[in-house]
Amino acid sequence: MLPPKSNFSEWYHEIIQQAQIMDIRYPVKGLYVWFPFGFKLRNLVYGKLKEIMDREHDEVYFPALIPETELGKEGQHIKGFEDEVYWITHGGLDELDVKLALRPTSETAMYPMFKLWIRSHADLPLKVYQVVNVFRYETKHTRPLIRLREITSFKEAHTAHRNYEEAEENVKKAISAYKEFYDSLAIPYMVIKRPEWDKFPGADYTIAFDTIMPDGRTLQIGTVHHLADNFAKTFDIKYETPNGDHAYVHQTCYGISERCIASLISIHGDDVGLVLPFDFAPHQIVIIPILYKGKEELVMSLADRVYETLKGMGFRVVMDTSDDRPGAKYYRWELFGVPIRIEIGPREAESNEVVVSFRDEKVKRKVPAEELTEERIREWGREMHERLRERAYREMVEKIRYFDNLGEIAEWIGKGVALFHLCESLECGEKVEEEAKAGVLGQLVEIPEGIKVSKEGQCIVCGREGKLNAIAKSY
Amino acid sequence: MLPPKSNFSEWYHEIIQQAQIMDIRYPVKGLYVWFPFGFKLRNLVYGKLKEIMDREHDEVYFPALIPETELGKEGQHIKGFEDEVYWITHGGLDELDVKLALRPTSETAMYPMFKLWIRSHADLPLKVYQVVNVFRYETKHTRPLIRLREITSFKEAHTAHRNYEEAEENVKKAISAYKEFYDSLAIPYMVIKRPEWDKFPGADYTIAFDTIMPDGRTLQIGTVHHLADNFAKTFDIKYETPNGDHAYVHQTCYGISERCIASLISIHGDDVGLVLPFDFAPHQIVIIPILYKGKEELVMSLADRVYETLKGMGFRVVMDTSDDRPGAKYYRWELFGVPIRIEIGPREAESNEVVVSFRDEKVKRKVPAEELTEERIREWGREMHERLRERAYREMVEKIRYFDNLGEIAEWIGKGVALFHLCESLECGEKVEEEAKAGVLGQLVEIPEGIKVSKEGQCIVCGREGKLNAIAKSY
């Protein structure tokens, strides 16, 4: 049994284990073990992400170890990471001449090579990505999939372009790609430009994807950085222009970690377990034969036939013929978020029907067995996806509220995200953070549908012209 | 241009770079960057390996960081690895309380969890695998894909069973699985039981797959270890038997690294580049239109049609419409090992024919365009695979020679593998190693076809009863 989802922190802690996503008993803080079921889910989700990336990027792999000399080259970058880098100082019993950092992110592993790879404008744009483990020495409270010392599945893309504008075009493309990815997971998000003081170390600016967790705190589930020529200057990445000059490239990078799985679990799950969109469920359909004495053969004959048919269509289908009572079976497969349940009892078998229900609804419906066509099942999957998306989006919007009075924000924080207008000054930003006891997320790039407020307005602190900003407690 | 393959060491060094497998210019010894093309090849090869593993194993992921306290628990194991472990001593500016090892292999990360996962005989067998990066502080000469400080793609499987015999059954299954994998790559191998003094640290015994490289040195391309209950006793992994007793599990583990790619490149490649089996080539078919003035449209119309048709069949096909001369195009795609080349010139276009040639043959043949069916192309792929396998196997057998005179072995070593009979004594083994200036590989589990010698015979040193052994210089 899970605690109710209204007690989100405990619910999350329990579902991660009970639904066999991760084993949290590994003997080092902040490191967890992916169970087989969790890793299947991870592979399905990352399969989609890779499919999207593969359209315009090449997959590569750069080493996990970065010499101190390279990591330290970009001043802002190293300042941003120096407190959380793991350092390798010894190989066997020897002390290393140059300390090696375990990559916290791969700019400084990749860009010395970009300098060698890029010669001319014809080599641009260069767009690569990798899915790798990265490491952060987290001193804060760690949590599976959310705050980790080993991020096991960091998809990081890195690109180089001829100038600032072409890099900016790519920022937009990356945002579109991430939207497509999260739309496919039915996860709602806000697209927010981080404030100057919270951008990626070394970036010109940072755009983040934030979703809102059930407890009202935001979770950053993706970031896109315009690096301008900051790293190019540090790593001397130049190209020959069509007219023979030499110019620095402009770069972007963007990443998504296993927080995408954390959001999938947290946003859609309910009091009894996981709720997974059809395309990503490790088990898409469960068949539960209801066996009564003397009718076993009749029931199993239909159940076997349905099982073979659905499997033949390529669905991930499982049949539960264990000795458990039907209630225990329902409970088990609900916990694992199986989208479609098919029950077959003697009465159904006699009339060649099955009882179909969906994980996100309580309704049961009788369906003639021959109507279980591939098309029909895909349609059910799409309908469920749409229901999940709508519910999740509605719940997100309910947690967003606009304020034009600074004094009222603090009370809302903790329940959700506060929107307000803010001028560009650091001083006003700090004032809001102080009052709200939370962090400014930044300027909304797009206003979520259903929220009626304009992008421009008077700064909530000083009354000067300002932009629509968001503030919240974050994970 | 590549050096001739007869100069293997230089040829290998060059082909790795020129065929864009890896960039060797990363600024740390023993660490390399996978280029996009190399990583595509890697993904295709590992896709096959995972397909084979997925049949009977669950994929999981265990942390890359292992506390010193766990790594040190099994005495033989830590002794075997202590010289080559990378140690993390600092997180940020803090010194860690317990040093963390970067996994050199994952027994000591996994088995404390196996203790928690395994309760009863019903939990057995437990069979899992992961594909991960592992790290070795190599002080010897490093080489891309062969001797690395970061092995980027280590497929390691770990299993637990009820007793020694069931674990041994699994050793046999693992050997079959690895045979299937290497057969699919058309890579020949010897299956050899390593001598006592060269088994995996902590194992009961070790079976290795060795192939013979073009220069006559062997390359270990896979290992299967029977661990008996050695680790189970160290990590206290017990289960409840059907009659209520508690017993230690017996374990096996087995691994394959990116050396599989090294063997693929080295065994099949030739003086002009890669030669890849059809199923694993990132580009399976290249179409080269030969354009003459006035005939461009005619040629391109057929070329486009063929391209679309083959792509529609799901083949990985590329069309080279660059301005280079045909010779330069041939050269380029030969370097990348494209199995099937289709040339289309004006004469062919007029008669609706194409010229087909295969990467491993010099023959060109005219084929009517409509005969480019999916079935025909798959058949060509299978035929080429068979030719590669036969040639590679013949070349391996030519490098194996039997000796019954100790004095003659030394001269052969360097050209290939020497077989001889050896008793069980360490003394006789050392004597042979001393004479041959090479390492005993161990007892042949199977005798490769075409080699006529019996498994039993008189020890080459002492004349007592002995088993057929192999010795060679190894990578």
Side-chain angles (χ1 to χ4, degrees), chain B residues 62-98:
Chain B
F62 281 73
L65 309 182
I66 303 173
E68 186 179 19
T69 41
E70 297 296 333
L71 190 74
K73 270 186 183 162
E74 214 288 334
Q76 290 303 315
H77 188 71
I78 181 65
K79 254 176 69 184
F81 282 103
E82 68 187 347
D83 286 344
E84 48 187 58
V85 170
Y86 277 112
W87 290 106
I88 300 162
T89 56
H90 287 76
L93 303 170
D94 301 347
E95 188 166 347
L96 302 178
D97 294 338
V98 176

Side-chain angles (χ1 to χ4, degrees), chain B residues 421-425 427-428 457-466:
Chain B
H421 287 95
L422 181 70
C423 71
E424 301 272 340
S425 84
E427 205 187 337
C428 289
Q458 287 185 318
C459 175
I460 197 169
V461 181
C462 69
R464 280 177 295 186
E465 203 155 292

Side-chain angles (χ1 to χ4, degrees), chain A residues 40-326:
Chain A
K40 281 195 186 77
L41 176 60
R42 181 261 186 207
N43 281 349
L44 288 162
V45 171
Y46 276 78
K48 180 70 186 178
L49 185 55
K50 292 182 70 165
E51 177 201 315
I52 293 172
M53 285 294 116
D54 282 338
R55 287 182 212 145
E56 292 205 355
H57 305 71
D58 280 316
E59 190 175 1
V60 292
Y61 185 89
F62 281 74
L65 309 182
I66 304 173
E68 186 180 23
T69 40
E70 297 295 332
L71 189 73
K73 270 187 182 160
E74 215 287 336
Q76 291 302 316
H77 188 71
I78 182 65
K79 255 176 68 184
F81 283 104
E82 66 187 351
D83 286 345
E84 48 188 56
V85 170
Y86 277 112
W87 289 107
I88 300 162
T89 56
H90 288 74
L93 304 170
D94 301 347
E95 189 167 348
L96 301 179
D97 294 336
V98 176
K99 281 197 293 184
L100 297 170
L102 263 177
R103 62 181 161 217
T105 170
S106 299
E107 286 73 16
T108 56
M110 288 187 173
Y111 300 167
M113 305 306 291
F114 278 22
K115 174 186 163 62
L116 303 173
W117 289 7
I118 296 168
R119 289 270 155 266
S120 112
H121 62 95
D123 298 326
L124 301 174
L126 174 71
K127 299 179 68 167
V128 300
Y129 81 97
Q130 61 182 11
V131 180
V132 299
N133 50 351
V134 300
F135 301 84
R136 310 266 166 100
Y137 177 62
E138 287 287 353
T139 47
K140 293 188 205 161
H141 181 65
T142 53
R143 222 182 276 267
L145 303 175
I146 291 181
R147 193 169 290 282
L148 304 162
R149 288 187 163 182
E150 179 182 8
I151 296 161
T152 67
S153 311
F154 190 48
K155 190 287 300 166
E156 52 177 330
H158 296 262
T159 72
H161 308 267
R162 293 189 297 180
N163 53 45
Y164 190 91
E165 292 70 30
E166 291 185 13
E168 187 140 89
E169 271 312 300
N170 195 63
V171 164
K172 286 178 191 153
K173 279 190 180 185
I175 292 171
S176 295
Y178 283 8
K179 282 183 177 180
E180 181 183 349
F181 174 63
Y182 279 111
D183 288 345
S184 81
L185 296 173
I187 298 292
Y189 46 79
M190 298 176 292
V191 183
I192 296 181
K193 185 177 178 186
R194 288 277 179 267
E196 268 301 301
W197 62 87
D198 196 25
K199 66 186 188 185
F200 179 72
D204 188 56
Y205 64 83
T206 290
I207 307 278
F209 279 61
D210 291 308
T211 193
I212 309 181
M213 297 290 260
D215 62 357
R217 289 166 74 180
T218 57
L219 182 71
Q220 175 179 296
I221 51 175
T223 47
V224 181
H225 312 292
H226 195 312
L227 303 178
D229 56 3
N230 299 342
F231 283 88
K233 282 179 174 159
T234 301
F235 289 96
D236 193 35
I237 313 174
K238 284 184 201 155
Y239 71 99
E240 191 175 336
T241 66
N243 52 36
D245 296 338
H246 287 82
Y248 288 114
V249 299
H250 284 251
Q251 293 176 270
T252 80
C253 63
Y254 30 108
I256 283 181
S257 75
E258 54 248 60
R259 282 187 166 192
C260 61
I261 314 273
S263 67
L264 187 66
I265 293 168
S266 305
I267 301 285
H268 298 313
D270 64 18
D271 285 356
V272 295
L274 299 174
V275 178
L276 297 176
F278 189 73
D279 289 347
F280 299 98
H283 308 297
Q284 297 177 298
I285 305 168
V286 58
I287 300 170
I288 300 184
I290 317 279
L291 300 171
Y292 287 96
K293 262 220 165 108
K295 302 281 188 178
E296 291 94 340
E297 214 171 302
L298 178 73
V299 168
M300 283 312 298
S301 145
L302 179 58
D304 284 336
R305 189 153 54 82
V306 169
Y307 175 80
E308 292 303 331
T309 306
L310 297 176
K311 220 176 152 62
M313 293 170 185
F315 293 117
R316 296 182 290 274
V317 53
V318 64
M319 175 137 74
D320 188 344
T321 54
S322 68
D323 289 337
D324 299 333
R325 280 186 298 181

Side-chain angles (χ1 to χ4, degrees), chain A residues 305-355:
Chain A
R305 189 153 54 82
V306 169
Y307 175 80
E308 292 303 331
T309 306
L310 297 176
K311 220 176 152 62
M313 293 170 185
F315 293 117
R316 296 182 290 274
V317 53
V318 64
M319 175 137 74
D320 188 344
T321 54
S322 68
D323 289 337
D324 299 333
R325 280 186 298 181
K329 295 187 186 185
Y330 297 164
Y331 174 76
R332 169 161 57 239
W333 299 106
E334 279 170 0
L335 177 60
F336 289 115
V338 183
I340 298 177
R341 182 170 83 204
I342 295 176
E343 296 156 54
I344 302 174
R347 230 180 319 166
E348 285 78 46
E350 267 158 22
S351 58
N352 200 36
E353 291 178 306
V354 302
V355 175

